Amino acid sequence: MTDPAVISRSFGISRSAAAKAPGRDAVRDKGWWRAHRFLVLRRLSQLAVFGLFLLGPLAGLWVVKGNLSSSLTLGVLPLTDPFLLAQVLATRHWPETSALLGAAIVIVFYATVGGRVFCSWVCPVNVVTDSAAWLRRKLKITTGRAPRGGLRYWLAGAVLLASAITGQLVWESVNPVSLTQRALIFGGSVAWGAAAAVFLFDLLIAPRGWCGHACPVGAAYALIGSKGLLRVAATHSSRCNDCADCYAVCPEPQVIVLPLKGKAGHGPVITDRDCTNCGRCIDVCGPDVFRYTHRLDSKRD
Amino acid sequence: MTLNRRQVLQASASATTAGLLAGGAALLGRPALARPAQALRPPGAIAEADFLGACVRCGLCVRDCPPQNLKLSRWGDGLARDVAIGTPYFVAREIPCEMCEAVPCVKACPTGALDHRLTDINQARMGVAVLIDQENCLNFLGLRCDVCYRVCPVIDQAITLEKVSNPRSDRHAMLLPTVHAEHCTGCGKCEKSCVLEQAAIKVLPTAIARGELGHHYRKGWDATNQGGRPHFDAPVQNLPAQPVPGDLAPLRSGREAYDPAAAASANATHPAGPGQ
């Protein structure tokens, strides 16, 4: 975590008129595609994951069975959500090998790739939270206050404790990630309430409230990917013109400050575990300050 | 790392919020313990309280169910309102379990919420069929319906037809479908095929369907249930092999009192024994 003393809550966003339409300069300087490519690629990635799950029930092509909680790809590759498996273990039920193996594969993958890649490139709720943030900017809603970023880690611990006490998978009654995805794949309408709740919470109550501050699933992926390789770096920070567009679009703006400004002797790589590796800052930056790189790349100009 | 007062206060605020949220989520899951009787779990499902901690609600069992009778609870649609959201169940009256020999649903379960030790589907105990409404069952009315008996995959073991006299006519038989819980898998074929508007035979979760005998009871006729008590397969009294003087039984039968001398002479004149 970054030193809380350095982080201010406004990040100077209000002083920039451009922040109301972040990315306008980038479109002018780099063209539409280069100002949106990671956004488009992320949506394609989310759609592809969703499409693979839907291919079975809709077209009878069973590439992937199950859902994000646990799935089986091509009949051989098991994948299981690690936070969910942690809850199962907290209830003192010892699962079959396929669930353990599935969680191990997921953990190894995200620990290597790094960051909360799941949150920004796979999770269906990301679309909801991004839409809410977009509408917030459009409608110029500036009210509301997000809970502290550390809440999600407390919540992850509390959920595991509650699972151990009640013997149930506590988070699965409310988890918008699995509720939404299951509703999409297996049908069901009431579960849409979960997505709507996240949208309204993010829009009216807390900016980037759910994914950025509360979701314990994201917290688990943050911990798993905290030492991963793929990182965004402010390599060309000397080009920065302080337009603050990156802060405006970043779902976790506190992670940018130190690497961009090089404060407290910080290198250019965004190493904060809360960074989702979404790459939106790379898109909206007109002078191309940011780029994807590996975490040991300390080049800066 | 040193903590100042501000950080401690912030942490405790976060911890409290987290505790309240997790507690709320736990409370939201509590009603799921009262699963409706018609919502049956797939074959091999472990006890409900453990099941809710083991099932990750991935739907892999649903996908591998050939008759597509399993579904995931989605809240809101009638029965499913009280089934923990995302967990698999089936309703026997809609689509019963086909009792696939390969038990694909159990094999698909990644967590063992469906116990992988179940390899013989005949050992599945999804519930127990109960002929719950004898007043409307056609066989109890003296007709020959027998449908539940005939569709039973464990016919003549899980359901038998017990012949009793029909007291209304005094010359006809009633063949009463009788469930033997020991063999019933709870597949629900009987409930599905019952011809009545509402099934007279229903599959209920075992905990609802079955009684439990007092643990001190010993069935004397059950050789496996002796528990160190006296055996009753030998006669209760050791009756003498030979008739004894003073035996009153012949008197009660209206015959003469037993006399050993007369008996000896009778045996001598009629060597083939009495009765000729």
Side-chain angles (χ1 to χ4, degrees):
Chain A
M1 292 284 278
T2 44
D3 183 359
V6 181
I7 300 166
S8 79
R9 288 226 138 199
S10 67
F11 306 110
I13 291 168
S14 55
R15 70 192 156 95
S16 166
K20 278 158 193 156
R24 189 178 285 166
D25 293 352
V27 173
R28 193 191 58 217
D29 297 347
K30 310 195 290 185
W32 189 91
W33 167 246
R34 291 202 56 229
H36 291 91
R37 62 187 159 154
F38 290 117
L39 179 66
V40 173
L41 288 175
R42 273 196 306 121
R43 292 290 175 262
L44 285 178
S45 160
Q46 287 154 349
L47 211 63
V49 171
F50 172 50
L52 281 175
F53 278 108
L54 264 190
L55 215 54
L58 291 188
L61 289 171
W62 293 103
V63 181
V64 187
K65 283 179 182 173
N67 56 32
L68 286 177
S69 301
S70 192
S71 65
L72 189 65
T73 305
L74 295 170
V76 288
L77 176 68
L79 296 173
T80 303
D81 179 61
F83 183 62
L84 190 48
L85 195 79
Q87 287 174 70
V88 172
L89 292 174
T91 68
R92 292 173 295 285
H93 172 83
W94 189 252
E96 291 289 327
T97 320
S98 62
L100 293 167
L101 190 65
I105 293 171
V106 170
I107 288 172
V108 167
F109 176 79
Y110 286 111
T112 312
V113 173
R116 288 163 55 200
V117 171
F118 172 86
C119 296
S120 55
W121 291 77
V122 177
C123 183
V125 179
N126 178 261
V127 182
V128 178
T129 193
D130 277 357
S131 317
W134 175 83
L135 196 62
R136 232 182 134 78
R137 285 196 298 270
K138 284 283 161 201
L139 299 178
K140 303 187 173 66
I141 301 174
T142 52
T143 53
R145 184 189 162 86
R148 303 204 66 83
L151 174 65
R152 54 188 140 197
Y153 301 103
W154 287 101
L155 190 53
V159 164
L160 292 180
L161 188 66
S163 294
I165 293 169
T166 62
Q168 294 190 26
L169 306 183
V170 163
W171 200 241
E172 286 312 290
S173 303
V174 291
N175 186 2
V177 180
S178 56
L179 288 182
T180 311
Q181 214 231 2
R182 205 183 298 114
L184 286 167
I185 299 171
F186 287 87
S189 48
V190 180
W192 286 107
V198 169
F199 184 80
L200 292 175
F201 179 70
D202 272 22
L203 181 69
L204 302 174
I205 300 172
R208 295 282 184 182
W210 189 263
C211 299
H213 299 83
C215 180
V217 181
Y221 279 110
L223 292 175
I224 291 167
S226 58
K227 297 282 175 261
L229 292 177
L230 182 71
R231 285 291 161 188
V232 175
T235 307
H236 309 293
S237 52
S238 57
R239 300 181 194 163
C240 177
N241 57 9
D242 286 329
C243 71
D245 279 5
C246 54
Y247 294 124
V249 294
C250 181
E252 307 273 348
Q254 76 277 10
V255 307
I256 299 180
V257 185
L258 293 181
L260 180 62
K261 294 299 168 195
K263 281 183 184 165
H266 203 288
V269 180
I270 299 176
T271 49
D272 195 301
R273 66 186 173 200
D274 290 340
C275 171
T276 68
N277 273 348
C278 71
R280 192 73 185 116
C281 54
I282 306 176
D283 281 348
V284 299
C285 184
D288 261 342
V289 169
F290 299 96
R291 64 183 183 119
Y292 276 121
T293 181
H294 57 86
R295 70 180 294 121
L296 303 172
D297 182 2
S298 56
K299 274 202 298 275
R300 190 202 278 279
D301 59 50
Chain B
M1 184 173 148
T2 55
L3 290 172
N4 57 33
R5 177 196 289 260
R6 181 186 164 90
Q7 283 164 323
V8 170
L9 284 175
Q10 281 170 349
S12 31
S14 290
T16 312
T17 317
L20 287 174
L21 278 172
L27 283 179
L28 212 61
R30 290 304 287 174
L33 285 172
R35 176 168 53 98
Q38 301 97 308
L40 300 169
R41 292 292 187 207
I46 57 179
E48 183 70 8
D50 301 329
F51 186 84
L52 293 175
C55 172
V56 293
R57 301 126 203 248
C58 62
L60 283 171
C61 54
V62 174
R63 292 299 187 220
D64 280 5
C65 174
Q68 307 261 296
N69 78 334
L70 289 176
K71 46 191 171 185
L72 294 185
S73 167
R74 23 168 105 160
W75 273 349
D77 50 349
L79 198 63
R81 198 179 306 132
D82 297 322
V83 182
I85 189 160
T87 56
Y89 73 102
F90 72 98
V91 178
R93 187 67 165 166
E94 291 168 10
I95 311 176
C97 174
E98 287 294 330
M99 287 178 59
C100 313
E101 264 180 48
V103 213
C105 51
V106 172
K107 284 189 187 140
C109 179
T111 63
L114 307 181
D115 197 335
H116 284 221
R117 282 172 299 182
L118 179 77
T119 48
D120 174 10
I121 189 65
N122 286 313
Q123 301 305 315
R125 295 292 177 263
M126 294 166 264
V128 178
V130 180
L131 208 163
I132 206 163
D133 187 4
Q134 302 186 349
E135 291 175 62
N136 284 311
C137 170
L138 295 182
N139 276 39
F140 271 82
L141 296 176
L143 304 174
R144 286 300 302 277
C145 166
D146 303 358
V147 168
C148 55
Y149 162 76
R150 273 184 270 124
V151 297
C152 179
V154 206
I155 186 169
D156 280 326
Q157 293 179 71
I159 303 185
T160 57
L161 291 178
E162 300 297 324
K163 193 165 127 185
V164 298
S165 170
N166 186 340
R168 274 193 296 278
S169 72
D170 208 21
R171 66 193 64 194
H172 295 98
M174 294 194 299
L175 291 155
L176 305 183
T178 306
V179 177
H180 303 275
E182 184 191 352
H183 297 291
C184 177
T185 63
C187 71
K189 290 231 155 184
C190 50
E191 181 176 343
K192 167 68 180 170
S193 55
C194 179
V195 299
L196 303 188
E197 298 292 321
Q198 293 287 332
I201 190 166
K202 289 190 166 104
V203 176
L204 300 175
T206 310
I208 296 177
R210 300 223 64 191
E212 190 174 347
L213 196 64
H215 293 272
H216 59 290
Y217 275 68
R218 293 289 180 274
K219 295 171 185 167
W221 60 89
D222 188 347
T224 61
N225 198 14
Q226 295 298 333
R229 305 299 164 107
H231 284 245
F232 294 107
D233 49 354
V236 177
Q237 287 172 288
N238 287 321
L239 292 172
Q242 296 295 320
V244 230
D247 185 352
L248 296 178
L251 286 180
R252 271 194 228 113
S253 67
R255 285 191 281 158
E256 287 178 346
Y258 178 73
D259 177 8
S265 64
N267 280 346
T269 50
H270 302 290
Q276 287 202 339

